[in-house]
Amino acid sequence: MLSEVLTHLAPEPGKIYCDLTFGDGGYTKAILDSCDCKVVAVDQDPTAYEKALQLAATPDYKGRLFPLLSKFGQIDSAVKKNFDWSFPCFDGMVMDIGVSSGQIETASRGFSYKLDGPLDMRMSRLMRKSISAYELVNFYSREQIADIIYKYGGDRLSRKIAAAIVDARQKAPIETTGELAAIVQKTCPQPRWQRGDDDMLRNSAARTFQALRIYINDELAELESALRSSEYLLRPQGRLVVVSFHSLEDRIAKNFLYHCAGKRSTQEAETNHVVPSFELKSKSVVQASKEETAVNSRSRSAKLRVGQRTMAEPLSPFGPLDL
Ligand SMILES: C[S@@+](CC[C@H](N)C(=O)[O-])C[C@H]1O[C@@H](n2cnc3c(N)ncnc32)[C@H](O)[C@@H]1O
């Protein structure tokens, strides 16, 4: 979705952008290469942050790239702590939710059901609760595990999978991603002709791993919090571009933008005649091109939404936003 992101973010020289999910740096580099602008690059993963620091020291990006090790749900306090800037300070913000290629391809991080590694899945240890996949799989109750797989993975066989996990751990702790994947795949075998297909609609192991990851990293609450902060951090005309891969994430981004654009009839909007804080820029959701989906199957589920900040006051007070 890189070219779509650039089109909708529309970077301009002299402006400051925030990449809330630096990852492997693809979006940040593309923004910085597109014109003489600056980027604050956020990631909660120390490995991604290290990469960003190295990139920031290279001649092309020196003085233009500012890495921040933070959860994006705390972007406002991270900016306050690290820069002497008053709000609003960004001319555009982008989020590419989920797991990076670097994370998924490193077996020792425990994100992949295809690579054998320890059951971890933590993007960072910045969280207080910070439990690992090992703790979740071996110590949560069968009901808790089933609820997580159903809620975040949408798997109708969640109860069966949870029962198989509990059965297996009674014999010996489940230590690795390979062991967990084998349990799920044995419980919900894919037909031979679908094997090797990563598609979430078809692959139970992919869905179970995704569900555990979303829960462990508290991804939905983080997203809500970052969206809310964008109202305070974006200058008028600044764009918010959100790329997501999961229907729950897309729903949160959509509801937020529709709410702020006054497209949702809420009691508050009706009684206080609120002025929209965002204008919707893409009529509906933007999806990856046929060319991209042909070479990158994961992009099939990508959805991009974009809003442009207006001059109006933020609609959401600091505190949880009821979406
Ligand atoms: C899909 S990747 C981004 C890939 C990036 N756009 C690129 O071009 O390489 C998502 C990144 O967001 C980070 N991330 C996920 N949740 C986060 C959060 N709550 N706070 C900060 N970073 C987060 C992950 O650690 C990961 O590196």
Side-chain angles (χ1 to χ4, degrees):
M1 298 291 269
L2 185 54
S3 73
E4 289 84 353
V5 165
L6 278 186
T7 304
H8 290 282
L9 192 67
E12 288 178 21
K15 304 220 161 168
I16 308 178
Y17 298 89
C18 182
D19 179 353
L20 288 158
T21 50
F22 176 81
D24 302 313
Y27 286 9
T28 286
K29 277 191 262 179
I31 297 165
L32 288 169
D33 292 345
S34 72
C35 64
D36 187 13
C37 60
K38 294 189 166 109
V39 172
V40 171
V42 180
D43 207 295
Q44 64 176 333
D45 187 326
T47 313
Y49 174 65
E50 271 306 314
K51 251 187 229 171
L53 286 178
Q54 284 169 15
L55 196 67
T58 59
D60 282 351
Y61 303 120
K62 209 167 184 161
R64 300 175 59 213
L65 170 57
F66 306 96
L68 280 187
L69 178 64
S70 169
K71 297 178 75 58
F72 56 56
Q74 292 161 11
I75 177 63
D76 35 19
S77 49
V79 169
K80 266 190 203 147
K81 210 160 83 188
N82 288 277
F83 303 99
D84 186 17
W85 297 342
S86 53
F87 289 4
C89 52
F90 294 130
D91 298 291
M93 295 172 81
V94 61
M95 306 181 79
D96 179 17
I97 316 290
V99 68
S100 71
S101 307
Q103 288 166 333
I104 203 102
E105 284 158 15
T106 307
S108 61
R109 301 296 304 270
F111 286 106
S112 173
Y113 70 94
K114 290 185 192 163
L115 304 175
D116 199 19
L119 271 172
D120 193 326
M121 299 197 199
R122 283 170 294 188
M123 289 179 183
S124 97
R125 313 270 160 100
L126 296 172
M127 284 179 297
R128 255 170 284 135
K129 74 173 189 196
S130 200
I131 62 140
S132 66
Y134 176 87
E135 290 163 294
L136 194 163
V137 162
N138 286 292
F139 300 115
Y140 274 35
S141 71
R142 189 176 60 186
E143 290 71 26
Q144 284 173 313
I145 295 173
D147 287 350
I148 290 168
I149 295 174
Y150 185 71
K151 184 167 176 196
Y152 302 118
D155 204 313
R156 279 177 289 128
L157 296 175
S158 57
R159 309 239 154 252
K160 207 171 152 193
I161 297 169
I165 289 172
V166 170
D167 264 3
R169 78 187 190 194
Q170 274 162 2
K171 291 169 203 131
I174 304 167
E175 305 267 0
T176 68
T177 50
E179 288 166 25
L180 178 62
I183 294 164
V184 179
Q185 274 155 351
K186 199 168 149 210
T187 314
C188 319
Q190 264 182 303
R192 190 183 296 277
W193 57 276
Q194 280 179 359
R195 286 194 194 145
D197 192 334
D198 276 353
D199 196 321
M200 293 287 171
L201 290 173
R202 297 174 178 164
N203 193 318
S204 264
R207 286 195 298 272
T208 294
F209 273 60
Q210 170 186 258
L212 303 188
R213 192 203 81 219
I214 290 178
Y215 175 83
I216 285 167
N217 294 288
D218 205 10
E219 294 183 23
L220 303 185
E222 277 290 303
L223 173 59
E224 284 187 14
S225 177
L227 292 172
R228 206 177 56 225
S229 298
S230 73
E231 272 199 301
Y232 291 83
L233 291 165
L234 273 175
R235 294 190 174 123
Q237 312 287 322
R239 298 215 175 151
L240 171 68
V241 179
V242 184
V243 179
S244 62
F245 292 84
H246 189 291
S247 57
L248 291 174
E249 296 161 352
D250 180 56
R251 192 183 310 156
I252 290 171
K254 177 181 168 187
N255 286 351
F256 171 79
L257 284 171
Y258 273 54
H259 168 80
C260 293
K263 305 277 181 213
R264 280 276 145 79
S265 164
T266 60
Q267 204 179 3
E268 187 202 328
E270 277 156 21
T271 47
N272 297 340
H273 305 290
V274 290
V275 187
S277 61
F278 274 95
E279 185 188 326
L280 299 182
K281 290 309 282 183
S282 54
K283 282 218 172 52
S284 59
V285 66
V286 178
Q287 293 193 270
S289 63
K290 275 197 191 122
E291 292 74 27
E292 183 167 1
T293 52
V295 288
N296 174 8
S297 63
R298 193 173 163 255
S299 68
R300 269 183 284 180
S301 44
K303 292 196 170 130
L304 180 152
R305 294 194 183 266
V306 51
Q308 182 163 299
R309 189 70 177 85
T310 66
M311 306 276 286
E313 288 295 306
L315 292 179
S316 48
F318 277 109
L321 180 69
D322 184 12
L323 293 172

